[in-house]
Amino acid sequence: MNQAHELASIEVEEFISLRRDIHQHPELAFEEYRTATLVAQKLKSWGYEVHEGIGGTGVVGVLKNGNGEMSIGLRADMDALPIHEQTGAEWSSCNHGVMHACGHDGHTAMLLAAAKELAAKKDFSGTVNLIFQPAEEGGGGALRMMADGLFERFSCDSIFAIHNMPGYPVGHLIFRDGPAMSSSDYVTIEINGVGGHGGMPHKASDPIVAASSIVMALQTIVSRNVDPQQSAVITVGAFNAGHANNVIPAHAKLELSIRALDPQVRIDIEARIKSLVHAQAESFGLTANIIWKKGYAVLVNSSAETEFARNVAVDFFGEAAVTRQGPALSGSEDFAFMLEKIPGSYLFIGNGDTPGTCMVHNPAYDFNDGNIAIGATFWSELVKQYLKT
Ligand SMILES: [Zn+2]
Ligand SMILES: [Zn+2]
């Protein structure tokens, strides 16, 4: 850390206890009632204007100060995962089969710690919107909050979010300009043939052979159609057909997961899969139905806001504590939808890099409480610089 600066006057013990309390009471997507109530109570006690029930269990805390016209949005996610906890920690989950295995308990605690600091110091001029979001883990809580008028009701000039990342030292801040996390789409392909006797294939139209050919042809899309400088994934995760050795079934079903790091690559892959699947099925005299379910969008950090946040981090914590341009990840994140509307940046904070450090979504994972003071200090410093008095 830069010797010229000290961490904000966060009462760390209070927020470590709070984090562990949230950890002990994890709640799944759109069921974050206890967590949301806790967040709302804290914000109210510090003088925030609090709006509850946005997009289900979402909470927004608004704090205005001075005459500044600029506004900033900071987002934390609150939901847990359907995982049986195996950390052995004193603050282990009380809700059987539900666990904070992605550190959203920590994200919530870091933002609350910053909320208290901002309300106490009031060293900014403008509007701070603290967005506590439900259902990040696949539920699309960001979209639900937006459908509930999030940005119409709480105007934000820019938005930011932090996620912890195991594999980097505790408190290390990792930025990335441009595409940072993949889109994620779910595709079902149904191949419709004509069933028949296994000994008389010429009297049937075999969907297994056609579907096998489709699986192989799909492998050519990333290798032959996607620009080698880009990245994408097409995984066939399920192939279901038939039930007996002497029966040709009438149908086969494939389930695919599609990821891309560029919005145009995502569009191109969709067009290519549709054309390839129909052409392949037709070449075998069969038909195909494709059910395309769009998941999260590509998360794209805007340049100016990423640069701004990165400079705040480097000025405050020093160059060694910051990765200016980290790698893109093939995970996905619904903050991407917010970034499609409002410029901003999604960054990571290291969760520890010692041997045995667990990745998120592992039953032995736990958020590192050493991040609370650093994350909250970064949040309050970002607000102070963005809404300069
Ligand atoms: Zn997660
Ligand atoms: Zn997460």
Side-chain angles (χ1 to χ4, degrees):
M1 192 182 25
N2 190 325
Q3 294 301 315
H5 300 293
E6 287 183 3
L7 292 181
S9 53
I10 311 288
E11 290 157 42
V12 177
E13 291 307 320
E14 175 186 352
F15 291 97
I16 290 176
S17 302
L18 187 78
R19 201 284 292 181
R20 293 179 180 181
D21 178 61
I22 297 171
H23 187 93
Q24 210 162 12
H25 302 93
E27 296 168 300
L28 293 172
F30 297 119
E31 293 172 5
E32 307 90 339
Y33 300 108
R34 183 186 184 276
T35 312
T37 302
L38 183 68
V39 165
Q41 278 170 354
K42 291 285 177 192
L43 292 173
K44 281 177 197 164
S45 76
W46 301 322
Y48 281 75
E49 176 192 309
V50 176
H51 302 260
E52 295 172 74
I54 301 172
T57 41
V59 179
V60 176
V62 182
L63 188 66
K64 293 182 202 278
N65 193 51
N67 302 320
E69 295 196 344
M70 298 282 283
S71 57
I72 187 170
L74 310 180
R75 176 276 218 167
D77 36 18
M78 301 187 290
D79 57 320
L81 285 156
I83 293 176
H84 186 71
E85 178 159 357
Q86 292 172 24
T87 61
E90 256 175 67
W91 50 91
S92 285
S93 171
C94 293
N95 298 344
H96 188 76
V98 181
M99 176 192 174
H100 269 295
C102 204
H104 300 185
D105 49 344
H107 305 161
T108 300
M110 285 194 300
L111 194 53
L112 283 174
K116 188 177 182 186
E117 173 78 4
L118 288 165
K121 294 265 177 67
K122 293 231 173 88
D123 46 4
F124 62 92
S125 179
T127 305
V128 182
N129 296 308
L130 303 182
I131 302 164
F132 292 87
Q133 185 206 300
E136 187 285 322
E137 298 285 1
L143 278 180
R144 284 275 290 271
M145 286 190 88
M146 289 163 72
D148 229 352
L150 176 65
F151 294 125
E152 291 76 22
R153 292 165 68 183
F154 311 100
S155 164
C156 295
D157 291 308
S158 66
I159 49 170
F160 298 88
I162 300 181
H163 202 292
N164 76 96
M165 181 50 69
Y168 287 91
V170 177
H172 190 80
L173 296 169
I174 303 113
F175 295 84
R176 183 175 169 85
D177 180 11
M181 295 189 83
S182 295
S183 59
S184 178
D185 296 322
Y186 316 98
V187 183
T188 301
I189 301 172
E190 293 165 348
I191 315 295
N192 308 306
V194 177
H197 196 291
M200 291 176 269
H202 59 298
K203 299 284 188 191
S205 291
D206 189 345
I208 292 183
V209 174
S212 302
S213 181
I214 288 170
V215 171
M216 296 314 292
L218 288 169
Q219 311 306 313
T220 65
I221 297 179
V222 173
S223 68
R224 301 292 86 186
N225 302 124
V226 174
D227 181 339
Q229 304 304 318
Q230 298 281 1
S231 83
V233 180
I234 298 176
T235 288
V236 180
F239 184 146
N240 292 299
H243 59 275
N245 75 316
N246 59 350
V247 179
I248 293 171
H251 305 283
K253 191 161 100 173
L254 306 175
E255 305 274 358
L256 279 60
S257 169
I258 317 289
R259 311 221 172 210
L261 260 175
D262 178 275
Q264 189 57 47
V265 170
R266 184 190 195 194
I267 292 168
D268 293 346
I269 286 179
E270 179 174 353
R272 186 75 193 107
I273 286 180
K274 285 180 174 170
S275 119
L276 183 148
V277 167
H278 288 302
Q280 285 274 325
E282 199 188 343
S283 76
F284 289 90
L286 287 79
T287 60
N289 299 329
I290 302 176
I291 301 151
W292 202 280
K293 192 168 161 248
K294 279 206 168 3
Y296 293 173
V298 179
L299 184 146
V300 184
N301 288 325
S302 60
S303 294
E305 285 69 23
T306 302
E307 183 62 8
F308 187 90
R310 179 196 270 153
N311 287 339
V312 167
V314 170
D315 285 351
F316 196 89
F317 297 104
E319 197 73 53
V322 173
T323 295
R324 287 177 170 270
Q325 184 74 350
L329 299 177
S330 56
S332 55
E333 160 64 64
D334 70 351
F335 190 63
F337 296 124
M338 295 191 180
L339 287 173
E340 286 182 331
K341 293 275 177 269
I342 313 280
S345 201
Y346 179 84
L347 60 127
F348 291 101
I349 186 165
N351 201 57
D353 60 350
T354 49
T357 303
C358 281
M359 185 38 83
V360 290
H361 294 209
N362 182 299
Y365 162 88
D366 196 16
F367 181 82
N368 194 314
D369 288 319
N371 274 328
I372 292 177
I374 298 168
T377 300
F378 171 74
W379 274 145
S380 38
E381 198 59 24
L382 180 71
V383 169
K384 204 161 91 181
Q385 298 299 328
Y386 193 80
L387 304 176
K388 256 205 154 88
T389 48

